[in-house]
Amino acid sequence: MVSRVREMIERYGLLGPGDRVVVAVSGGRDSVCLLHLLRSLAGAWDLSLHVAHLDHALRGAAGRRDAAFVRRLAARWNLPATIDALRRLQTLQTITGSGSRRMPKRP
């Protein structure tokens, strides 16, 4: 799989030697796989990787667990990381564009 990713990056000119790459990692399988693949290529291409994660405060404890997982993963792989969370009001304003509407209550 690493060779196919390398081929696609080269074919489309997605990355170049010495690039700094911010990798958005949700904590799900696809983004963790992407981070793993880029980490595998980082040495050969002299890439500087930085992990970014944002808890949108929409999933409560599950979102906080994802953030903690991403933080631990970045630390284990010795990668710098920015982990942040929105407050619920900020999330509401982003969704509605104003914050004047109320989010529906969960049953």
Side-chain angles (χ1 to χ4, degrees):
M1 182 178 250
V2 173
S3 61
R4 288 195 67 202
V5 170
R6 180 183 300 124
E7 178 185 318
M8 297 303 276
I9 290 170
E10 290 171 351
R11 179 183 299 160
Y12 295 105
L14 300 175
L15 297 172
D19 278 355
R20 297 183 339 185
V21 182
V22 175
V23 185
V25 180
S26 68
R29 293 176 183 154
D30 54 349
S31 62
V32 170
C33 181
L34 173 64
L35 180 61
H36 176 71
L37 289 167
L38 290 173
R39 186 172 162 255
S40 297
L41 296 169
W45 286 19
D46 191 32
L47 300 176
S48 296
L49 303 179
H50 187 102
V51 176
H53 176 86
L54 180 63
D55 177 359
H56 291 91
L58 297 173
R59 298 184 316 117
R64 291 188 295 277
R65 283 191 301 273
D66 287 344
F69 169 75
V70 172
R71 179 178 282 112
R72 287 190 310 270
L73 181 65
R76 185 175 12 182
W77 286 353
N78 211 19
L79 296 171
T82 300
I83 313 290
D84 209 344
L86 295 176
R87 293 187 319 250
R88 192 166 178 88
L89 178 59
Q90 289 173 318
T91 303
L92 178 61
Q93 289 171 338
T94 300
I95 291 169
T96 65
S98 69
S100 60
R101 298 184 204 161
R102 294 181 183 252
M103 291 186 76
K105 291 185 179 181
R106 291 185 179 170

